[in-house]
Amino acid sequence: MPDPHPPHPLPPGPDATSPRLGICSVTFRGLPAAEVARRVAEAGLEVVEWGADVHAPPDRPEALRSARAAADAHGIACCSYGSYFRCLPDELSGFAEIARGAVTLGAPRIRVWAGASGSAEAVEEDRARTTAILREAALVARDHGLELGLEFHGGTLTDSVPSTVRLLEDLRAADVDNVSPYWQPPQDATDPEALAGLDVLADRVGAVHVFSWWPGNRRLPLSARAGLWTRAFARLTASPRPRDALLEFVPDDDPAVLAREAASLRRAAGLAPGRPEGVPDGRGRPHVTLQ
């Protein structure tokens, strides 16, 4: 039977190059999905990446349906399913369940992790195994009409730009074309260092996790690194590729700062406050501009 709720498409933002703006639900793990969706809508954001750890576990169909219903009720599209699939051998048999969960959520993309070893520590056998498992997962995703997004993160094969590029090229050589990287500023990277890496990946990036950490993982308001994000968005909007920019890990995990952080995100992206008039929501209706 066809899915009565097909995946949300990935159109560009309010113009041909602007990303859609949203949030990762893991930002507020302590809130129920319905409350997350309400706050996202009130903050003038458009999309959500539902996390598989709390809000949308793949083995809990009722939670998946509830998250989908909450997003739909508030006109929020699900842009991706934030899974914790790490391309380990014992995980592959369960990936079809994750793909089905993404379909239930209406997510066109599943975020995955490229193994459990950093690129400097991984031997060739580790890299080959991770690439092979990722390829199999990508084929399962393709069968479900989905893409994969690679978390750009330490302790994986996408912990550096060169290793990420190599992995993508290895996948393309294996006839896999539905995998793209995420991007986020590497921990403790200076603005020039982070942006130099983005310059290499920008045309391939499918989604961005947006936060301001400095030093280490100290969570600052997004405005504290406004220069980094303004320049990052300038690079990202130079390409018409549809993508999403998702707030992640706000200071103190405090829901009360979401409106402020969403406003900073819109400023960095060069957009006016609130959802842009005429941009369709997850159910095809125009958003109302929030003042």
Side-chain angles (χ1 to χ4, degrees):
M1 179 181 297
D3 177 19
H5 303 289
H8 296 125
L10 279 171
D15 59 45
T17 59
S18 298
R20 298 190 301 180
L21 306 183
I23 194 170
C24 300
S25 77
V26 297
T27 307
F28 301 126
R29 285 186 170 103
L31 297 180
E35 181 70 5
V36 172
R38 181 183 70 81
R39 288 177 178 269
V40 169
E42 289 180 351
L45 300 173
E46 304 167 62
V47 295
V48 62
E49 176 180 279
W50 288 117
D53 56 342
V54 173
H55 294 117
D59 60 348
R60 290 181 53 199
E62 73 285 356
L64 292 163
R65 289 191 293 268
S66 293
R68 174 68 182 262
D72 285 352
H74 291 282
I76 304 299
C78 178
C79 63
S80 52
Y81 186 22
S83 86
Y84 291 88
F85 179 80
R86 283 189 169 268
C87 297
L88 301 177
D90 60 352
E91 293 181 327
L92 186 56
S93 62
F95 189 74
E97 182 177 58
I98 295 173
R100 291 192 295 270
V103 171
T104 299
L105 291 170
R109 177 179 58 232
I110 304 171
R111 184 212 53 192
V112 299
W113 301 63
S117 299
S119 58
E121 295 79 34
V123 298
E124 285 302 310
E125 181 181 356
D126 294 332
R127 178 176 283 275
R129 180 173 57 248
T130 297
T131 303
I133 294 171
L134 181 57
R135 178 183 183 276
E136 292 303 311
L139 295 178
V140 172
R142 182 188 293 168
D143 288 343
H144 287 78
L146 304 168
E147 298 182 356
L148 298 185
L150 289 167
E151 179 84 5
F152 186 65
H153 202 279
T156 73
L157 292 184
T158 51
D159 60 0
S160 72
V161 170
S163 183
T164 299
V165 170
R166 178 182 171 188
L167 180 58
L168 294 171
E169 291 177 349
D170 288 345
L171 289 168
R172 185 165 292 278
D175 296 323
V176 171
D177 59 2
N178 62 328
V179 180
S180 63
Y182 276 43
W183 183 81
Q184 63 192 41
Q187 190 167 310
D188 281 328
T190 65
D191 290 9
E193 290 168 342
L195 293 168
L198 179 57
D199 282 339
V200 176
L201 293 176
D203 288 344
R204 309 184 191 221
V205 167
V208 178
H209 283 165
V210 181
F211 52 81
S212 287
W213 289 6
W214 193 270
N217 62 357
R218 181 187 175 200
R219 298 177 185 179
L220 304 176
L222 192 61
S223 60
R225 298 191 76 179
L228 166 67
W229 284 109
T230 299
R231 285 178 283 172
F233 276 107
R235 286 158 167 79
L236 292 167
T237 56
S239 166
R241 176 187 175 93
R243 52 171 60 90
D244 302 298
L246 309 170
L247 288 169
E248 186 180 39
F249 301 131
V250 298
D252 300 318
D253 301 327
D254 184 3
V257 307
L258 179 57
R260 180 195 72 196
E261 296 298 279
S264 294
L265 176 63
R266 296 196 69 84
R267 282 194 296 271
L271 301 174
R275 293 179 183 171
E277 194 74 50
V279 173
D281 66 15
R283 294 168 294 170
R285 297 183 299 148
H287 291 312
V288 176
T289 302
L290 304 179
Q291 303 297 329

PDB file of all heavy atoms in Angstrom, residues 176-191:
ATOM      1  N   VAL A 176      27.246   4.791  -6.089  1.00  0.00           N
ATOM      2  CA  VAL A 176      26.351   5.345  -5.065  1.00  0.00           C
ATOM      3  C   VAL A 176      26.331   6.853  -5.222  1.00  0.00           C
ATOM      4  O   VAL A 176      27.367   7.511  -5.135  1.00  0.00           O
ATOM      5  CB  VAL A 176      26.835   4.963  -3.644  1.00  0.00           C
ATOM      6  CG1 VAL A 176      26.034   5.708  -2.589  1.00  0.00           C
ATOM      7  CG2 VAL A 176      26.726   3.460  -3.433  1.00  0.00           C
ATOM      8  N   ASP A 177      25.145   7.405  -5.468  1.00  0.00           N
ATOM      9  CA  ASP A 177      25.034   8.847  -5.709  1.00  0.00           C
ATOM     10  C   ASP A 177      24.006   9.520  -4.801  1.00  0.00           C
ATOM     11  O   ASP A 177      23.625  10.675  -5.045  1.00  0.00           O
ATOM     12  CB  ASP A 177      24.691   9.121  -7.170  1.00  0.00           C
ATOM     13  CG  ASP A 177      23.380   8.468  -7.603  1.00  0.00           C
ATOM     14  OD1 ASP A 177      22.718   7.832  -6.744  1.00  0.00           O
ATOM     15  OD2 ASP A 177      23.021   8.591  -8.785  1.00  0.00           O
ATOM     16  N   ASN A 178      23.556   8.816  -3.767  1.00  0.00           N
ATOM     17  CA  ASN A 178      22.547   9.394  -2.870  1.00  0.00           C
ATOM     18  C   ASN A 178      23.105   9.647  -1.472  1.00  0.00           C
ATOM     19  O   ASN A 178      22.387   9.560  -0.478  1.00  0.00           O
ATOM     20  CB  ASN A 178      21.304   8.505  -2.796  1.00  0.00           C
ATOM     21  CG  ASN A 178      21.594   7.114  -2.239  1.00  0.00           C
ATOM     22  OD1 ASN A 178      22.680   6.560  -2.424  1.00  0.00           O
ATOM     23  ND2 ASN A 178      20.611   6.520  -1.565  1.00  0.00           N
ATOM     24  N   VAL A 179      24.394   9.964  -1.400  1.00  0.00           N
ATOM     25  CA  VAL A 179      25.051  10.274  -0.131  1.00  0.00           C
ATOM     26  C   VAL A 179      25.718  11.647  -0.243  1.00  0.00           C
ATOM     27  O   VAL A 179      26.431  11.911  -1.211  1.00  0.00           O
ATOM     28  CB  VAL A 179      26.113   9.218   0.240  1.00  0.00           C
ATOM     29  CG1 VAL A 179      26.783   9.572   1.565  1.00  0.00           C
ATOM     30  CG2 VAL A 179      25.490   7.829   0.316  1.00  0.00           C
ATOM     31  N   SER A 180      25.472  12.494   0.745  1.00  0.00           N
ATOM     32  CA  SER A 180      26.115  13.809   0.791  1.00  0.00           C
ATOM     33  C   SER A 180      26.575  14.067   2.222  1.00  0.00           C
ATOM     34  O   SER A 180      26.041  13.485   3.168  1.00  0.00           O
ATOM     35  CB  SER A 180      25.148  14.908   0.334  1.00  0.00           C
ATOM     36  OG  SER A 180      24.034  14.977   1.213  1.00  0.00           O
ATOM     37  N   PRO A 181      27.558  14.938   2.408  1.00  0.00           N
ATOM     38  CA  PRO A 181      28.020  15.225   3.765  1.00  0.00           C
ATOM     39  C   PRO A 181      27.218  16.331   4.429  1.00  0.00           C
ATOM     40  O   PRO A 181      26.684  17.213   3.771  1.00  0.00           O
ATOM     41  CB  PRO A 181      29.466  15.666   3.549  1.00  0.00           C
ATOM     42  CG  PRO A 181      29.426  16.356   2.214  1.00  0.00           C
ATOM     43  CD  PRO A 181      28.412  15.589   1.393  1.00  0.00           C
ATOM     44  N   TYR A 182      27.127  16.255   5.724  1.00  0.00           N
ATOM     45  CA  TYR A 182      26.751  17.401   6.529  1.00  0.00           C
ATOM     46  C   TYR A 182      28.020  18.251   6.707  1.00  0.00           C
ATOM     47  O   TYR A 182      29.120  17.841   6.357  1.00  0.00           O
ATOM     48  CB  TYR A 182      26.261  16.960   7.908  1.00  0.00           C
ATOM     49  CG  TYR A 182      24.819  16.550   7.985  1.00  0.00           C
ATOM     50  CD1 TYR A 182      24.222  15.754   7.018  1.00  0.00           C
ATOM     51  CD2 TYR A 182      24.034  16.946   9.060  1.00  0.00           C
ATOM     52  CE1 TYR A 182      22.900  15.364   7.111  1.00  0.00           C
ATOM     53  CE2 TYR A 182      22.704  16.567   9.167  1.00  0.00           C
ATOM     54  CZ  TYR A 182      22.141  15.776   8.189  1.00  0.00           C
ATOM     55  OH  TYR A 182      20.827  15.396   8.281  1.00  0.00           O
ATOM     56  N   TRP A 183      27.844  19.436   7.297  1.00  0.00           N
ATOM     57  CA  TRP A 183      29.002  20.237   7.691  1.00  0.00           C
ATOM     58  C   TRP A 183      28.685  20.951   8.984  1.00  0.00           C
ATOM     59  O   TRP A 183      27.521  21.326   9.245  1.00  0.00           O
ATOM     60  CB  TRP A 183      29.358  21.280   6.629  1.00  0.00           C
ATOM     61  CG  TRP A 183      30.599  22.067   7.009  1.00  0.00           C
ATOM     62  CD1 TRP A 183      31.895  21.672   6.854  1.00  0.00           C
ATOM     63  CD2 TRP A 183      30.641  23.341   7.640  1.00  0.00           C
ATOM     64  NE1 TRP A 183      32.758  22.631   7.338  1.00  0.00           N
ATOM     65  CE2 TRP A 183      32.008  23.678   7.830  1.00  0.00           C
ATOM     66  CE3 TRP A 183      29.665  24.250   8.074  1.00  0.00           C
ATOM     67  CZ2 TRP A 183      32.414  24.866   8.427  1.00  0.00           C
ATOM     68  CZ3 TRP A 183      30.058  25.441   8.673  1.00  0.00           C
ATOM     69  CH2 TRP A 183      31.429  25.735   8.839  1.00  0.00           C
ATOM     70  N   GLN A 184      29.690  21.092   9.822  1.00  0.00           N
ATOM     71  CA  GLN A 184      29.630  21.917  11.015  1.00  0.00           C
ATOM     72  C   GLN A 184      31.045  22.374  11.323  1.00  0.00           C
ATOM     73  O   GLN A 184      32.010  21.754  10.854  1.00  0.00           O
ATOM     74  CB  GLN A 184      29.056  21.136  12.198  1.00  0.00           C
ATOM     75  CG  GLN A 184      29.893  19.940  12.622  1.00  0.00           C
ATOM     76  CD  GLN A 184      29.148  19.035  13.591  1.00  0.00           C
ATOM     77  OE1 GLN A 184      27.948  18.774  13.440  1.00  0.00           O
ATOM     78  NE2 GLN A 184      29.855  18.555  14.605  1.00  0.00           N
ATOM     79  N   PRO A 185      31.221  23.452  12.069  1.00  0.00           N
ATOM     80  CA  PRO A 185      32.586  23.897  12.363  1.00  0.00           C
ATOM     81  C   PRO A 185      33.303  22.858  13.233  1.00  0.00           C
ATOM     82  O   PRO A 185      32.785  22.479  14.282  1.00  0.00           O
ATOM     83  CB  PRO A 185      32.390  25.204  13.139  1.00  0.00           C
ATOM     84  CG  PRO A 185      30.953  25.532  13.076  1.00  0.00           C
ATOM     85  CD  PRO A 185      30.207  24.313  12.683  1.00  0.00           C
ATOM     86  N   PRO A 186      34.445  22.367  12.829  1.00  0.00           N
ATOM     87  CA  PRO A 186      35.182  21.420  13.669  1.00  0.00           C
ATOM     88  C   PRO A 186      35.515  22.048  15.019  1.00  0.00           C
ATOM     89  O   PRO A 186      35.794  23.248  15.114  1.00  0.00           O
ATOM     90  CB  PRO A 186      36.450  21.137  12.861  1.00  0.00           C
ATOM     91  CG  PRO A 186      36.083  21.437  11.445  1.00  0.00           C
ATOM     92  CD  PRO A 186      35.115  22.579  11.535  1.00  0.00           C
ATOM     93  N   GLN A 187      35.466  21.236  16.042  1.00  0.00           N
ATOM     94  CA  GLN A 187      35.715  21.741  17.390  1.00  0.00           C
ATOM     95  C   GLN A 187      37.097  22.377  17.485  1.00  0.00           C
ATOM     96  O   GLN A 187      38.088  21.791  17.056  1.00  0.00           O
ATOM     97  CB  GLN A 187      35.579  20.603  18.405  1.00  0.00           C
ATOM     98  CG  GLN A 187      35.590  21.055  19.851  1.00  0.00           C
ATOM     99  CD  GLN A 187      35.130  19.953  20.791  1.00  0.00           C
ATOM    100  OE1 GLN A 187      34.087  19.349  20.555  1.00  0.00           O
ATOM    101  NE2 GLN A 187      35.883  19.691  21.840  1.00  0.00           N
ATOM    102  N   ASP A 188      37.141  23.575  18.036  1.00  0.00           N
ATOM    103  CA  ASP A 188      38.362  24.352  18.260  1.00  0.00           C
ATOM    104  C   ASP A 188      38.997  24.882  16.975  1.00  0.00           C
ATOM    105  O   ASP A 188      40.087  25.466  17.018  1.00  0.00           O
ATOM    106  CB  ASP A 188      39.407  23.559  19.060  1.00  0.00           C
ATOM    107  CG  ASP A 188      39.100  23.551  20.553  1.00  0.00           C
ATOM    108  OD1 ASP A 188      38.544  24.557  21.041  1.00  0.00           O
ATOM    109  OD2 ASP A 188      39.404  22.562  21.220  1.00  0.00           O
ATOM    110  N   ALA A 189      38.347  24.693  15.831  1.00  0.00           N
ATOM    111  CA  ALA A 189      38.865  25.289  14.600  1.00  0.00           C
ATOM    112  C   ALA A 189      38.594  26.784  14.610  1.00  0.00           C
ATOM    113  O   ALA A 189      37.517  27.247  15.009  1.00  0.00           O
ATOM    114  CB  ALA A 189      38.205  24.662  13.373  1.00  0.00           C
ATOM    115  N   THR A 190      39.574  27.573  14.179  1.00  0.00           N
ATOM    116  CA  THR A 190      39.358  29.003  14.033  1.00  0.00           C
ATOM    117  C   THR A 190      38.409  29.248  12.866  1.00  0.00           C
ATOM    118  O   THR A 190      38.162  28.354  12.037  1.00  0.00           O
ATOM    119  CB  THR A 190      40.680  29.725  13.768  1.00  0.00           C
ATOM    120  OG1 THR A 190      41.193  29.280  12.505  1.00  0.00           O
ATOM    121  CG2 THR A 190      41.695  29.443  14.869  1.00  0.00           C
ATOM    122  N   ASP A 191      37.891  30.463  12.782  1.00  0.00           N
ATOM    123  CA  ASP A 191      36.993  30.785  11.667  1.00  0.00           C
ATOM    124  C   ASP A 191      37.659  30.513  10.316  1.00  0.00           C
ATOM    125  O   ASP A 191      37.054  29.864   9.452  1.00  0.00           O
ATOM    126  CB  ASP A 191      36.546  32.242  11.755  1.00  0.00           C
ATOM    127  CG  ASP A 191      35.594  32.494  12.916  1.00  0.00           C
ATOM    128  OD1 ASP A 191      35.404  31.585  13.755  1.00  0.00           O
ATOM    129  OD2 ASP A 191      35.050  33.615  12.997  1.00  0.00           O
TER     130      ASP A 191
END
